[in-house]
Amino acid sequence: MQRRRRYAGLVAAGLVTGLLATLTACGDTGPLSDRTTLKVVAIDHGDRSGNSSKRWWDKLIGEYQFDHGDVEVDVDVYDRSRIDQKVAELAEAGNPPDIAITSGTFAEYAEREKLHRASDVLSTFTQGSFVASLAEAGTVGRVQYGIPFSASTRMLFYNKKLFAEAGVEEPPGTWEELLEAARALRTAGVPSPYGLPLGPEEAQAETLNWMLGGGGNYTDDGGAYDLDSPQNVATFTWLRDDLVGAGLTNEDPATTDRDAAYAAFTQGDVAMLNGHPGLMRLALENGIDFGTAPLPGKDGPVETTTGVADWLMAFDNGEGREEHVRSFLDFVYGEKYVTSYADTYDMLPVTTPATQAMRDDAQYKPLWKFLEALDTARFYPVGKTSWGPVLHDLKTGIGSAVLEKGDPKAVLGRLQRDAMSRDVAEAE
């Protein structure tokens, strides 16, 4: 069984070698002085030393340069905790990369007129190939600056063995059913019936999962912040009183990070939690017989889910390299490479051709539910220039809302006031 079959067996393997020979061949195409160098800074989606994203990029660049010997592409990768800071440092120093792939900080640079529009650095075909929900999320003032590079959606994961031992026959579709299942799991001796990670690592995803389940969101229909809506306050009050307060979650949700919750699920200590596609591989590697289902909602399964994306932005360095950037990005966004990246790093493809290719291939059947959810997923308001600092406040503060003496209305109200203040300040 080949590596791409890992959704059935999830056996990891390295990328194709032979890059040195390719690069050597490319190096003989002409004088170095005639070559254009593109600088790329990218997020590293590898989870171990052997599968760093640098290896994937090096292979792609070697193949690109085989037919584009006049362009040299230099790529550096940084982990998620460092990438935004690194790009900011380069931009402040007046030496931004031609291309940067981050977790979503493009709006600020766009407002400061530091970026190319997507239409400046993508062919019409490539720009039109993105999944519509992602393309829309990448806009600032109705102009696309954020170019989706990788994506994921969220679903409920549950441990089938623990469910069977507790007599729970089906995954919960409503919050009341989730409570019933959690109580049965607790009675059966499961340490944490539900894994609730509201620690600073990725609290924004878990928060949005629950907001959507309660009929809320980060913003209203007009795009204004709506963090302390009655729906959101009711959602976090329910979490505090009915789930956390009843002892049906991990011990301290306010400080529990996503990685810790995932690890507990793969060890059999958590029976259910919300997760992204990469959790499938982790669960199978640890022998967990799991199932996936739509996120439970207050009154029924949630019709939409949380979508998360990493974004590519092209800095305008004033050096007229748009043509070379366009050539390279059209190559990067070819179906082959979009599918390859998603397959290698347990992500979802961001273009419709690659998405359709996965939907037509039975080996990707475990991903189909996640792919279907991408069409209607709700994304963070990354097109707002204030989202960066608002995100920081949310990640470090939302967990306190579910503490025993936490006050959801006060916590969400404070986040809302600060968010609105930042919005006003950014507009001035």
Side-chain angles (χ1 to χ4, degrees):
M1 186 169 290
Q2 300 179 0
R3 184 195 61 76
R4 292 180 65 206
R5 299 282 177 179
R6 76 177 181 285
Y7 293 108
L10 297 180
V11 178
L15 294 174
V16 177
T17 58
L19 174 61
L20 275 178
T22 303
L23 289 177
T24 301
C26 294
D28 295 333
T29 57
L32 292 178
S33 59
D34 294 337
R35 303 179 75 183
T36 296
T37 299
L38 298 180
K39 179 63 181 178
V40 179
V41 175
I43 197 168
D44 190 355
H45 285 116
D47 59 0
R48 62 199 72 179
S49 59
N51 74 337
S52 169
S53 296
K54 184 68 162 59
R55 298 182 65 190
W56 185 90
W57 280 106
D58 284 345
K59 179 178 184 295
L60 177 141
I61 290 167
E63 295 178 2
Y64 173 75
Q65 290 181 326
F66 187 82
D67 291 322
H68 300 81
D70 60 332
V71 180
E72 182 177 356
V73 183
D74 180 20
V75 62
D76 290 323
V77 300
Y78 297 88
D79 63 41
R80 186 173 295 275
S81 65
R82 296 180 58 203
I83 184 68
D84 289 342
Q85 180 181 352
K86 183 62 181 179
V87 173
E89 290 172 353
L90 292 170
E92 289 302 317
N95 187 34
D98 296 286
I99 297 166
I101 301 169
T102 76
S103 55
T105 57
F106 61 83
E108 178 185 355
Y109 296 114
E111 286 291 333
R112 291 161 54 190
E113 299 184 345
K114 300 290 186 181
L115 302 182
H116 289 294
R117 297 183 177 202
S119 58
D120 294 335
V121 292
L122 296 173
S123 67
T124 301
F125 175 83
T126 298
Q127 187 175 10
S129 71
F130 293 113
V131 175
S133 60
L134 284 162
E136 182 178 355
T139 61
V140 178
R142 298 186 179 181
V143 176
Q144 184 180 1
Y145 289 95
I147 304 171
F149 182 75
S150 60
S152 65
T153 52
R154 300 297 188 266
M155 299 196 74
L156 179 74
F157 282 70
Y158 61 97
N159 185 312
K160 291 182 178 181
K161 180 174 181 289
L162 296 180
F163 266 49
E165 292 174 350
V168 181
E169 297 180 355
E170 299 289 341
T174 67
W175 290 356
E176 186 57 40
E177 291 173 356
L178 187 148
L179 285 181
E180 293 175 2
R183 293 175 187 132
L185 290 159
R186 171 63 78 195
T187 300
V190 177
S192 300
Y194 183 85
L196 183 66
L198 289 174
E201 179 191 1
E202 203 191 33
Q204 68 273 23
E206 187 69 10
T207 295
L208 186 53
N209 292 334
W210 287 99
M211 284 182 172
L212 293 173
N217 200 342
Y218 282 133
T219 58
D220 61 22
D221 292 340
Y225 286 115
D226 200 23
L227 298 166
D228 64 344
S229 68
Q231 296 93 331
N232 291 342
V233 172
T235 292
F236 274 83
T237 301
W238 182 88
L239 283 172
R240 180 197 63 186
D241 296 343
D242 291 57
L243 197 62
V244 179
L248 300 175
T249 67
N250 38 293
E251 191 167 310
D252 190 0
T255 61
T256 299
D257 286 336
R258 182 194 66 183
D259 283 352
Y262 281 14
F265 182 78
T266 63
Q267 294 163 7
D269 293 331
V270 166
M272 53 182 165
L273 80 174
N274 297 325
H276 61 52
L279 183 54
M280 293 191 293
R281 174 177 55 81
L282 297 174
L284 286 175
E285 287 178 346
N286 286 273
I288 300 297
D289 183 15
F290 68 91
T292 58
L295 303 181
K298 179 181 178 182
D299 301 314
V302 181
E303 295 182 357
T304 186
T305 187
T306 295
V308 178
D310 292 315
W311 300 92
L312 184 151
M313 50 187 168
F315 280 90
D316 184 356
N317 293 317
E319 298 182 10
R321 292 200 285 264
E322 294 94 327
E323 181 179 346
H324 294 295
V325 172
R326 184 184 304 111
S327 169
F328 181 63
L329 291 184
D330 282 347
F331 189 84
V332 169
Y333 283 105
E335 178 187 321
K336 170 185 174 181
Y337 297 107
V338 174
T339 304
S340 168
Y341 199 89
D343 180 56
T344 301
Y345 298 107
D346 301 313
M347 312 292 284
L348 300 180
V350 296
T351 65
T352 52
T355 297
Q356 191 59 51
M358 281 192 165
R359 285 174 170 166
D360 292 341
D361 193 335
Q363 71 172 297
Y364 294 115
K365 187 174 182 180
L367 280 178
W368 289 352
K369 293 180 181 179
F370 293 91
L371 287 169
E372 291 169 2
L374 189 60
D375 292 333
T376 57
R378 301 292 180 87
F379 294 87
Y380 310 139
V382 290
K384 297 173 72 67
T385 57
S386 58
W387 174 242
V390 170
L391 172 61
H392 176 270
D393 293 345
L394 187 144
K395 290 168 68 173
T396 57
I398 192 63
S400 63
V402 301
L403 298 177
E404 182 178 358
K405 295 182 180 180
D407 187 337
K409 185 174 183 179
V411 171
L412 290 167
R414 182 177 65 253
L415 290 170
Q416 174 70 13
R417 290 191 297 275
D418 290 346
M420 293 296 291
S421 296
R422 294 184 188 279
D423 238 8
V424 171
E426 293 287 351
E428 293 178 347

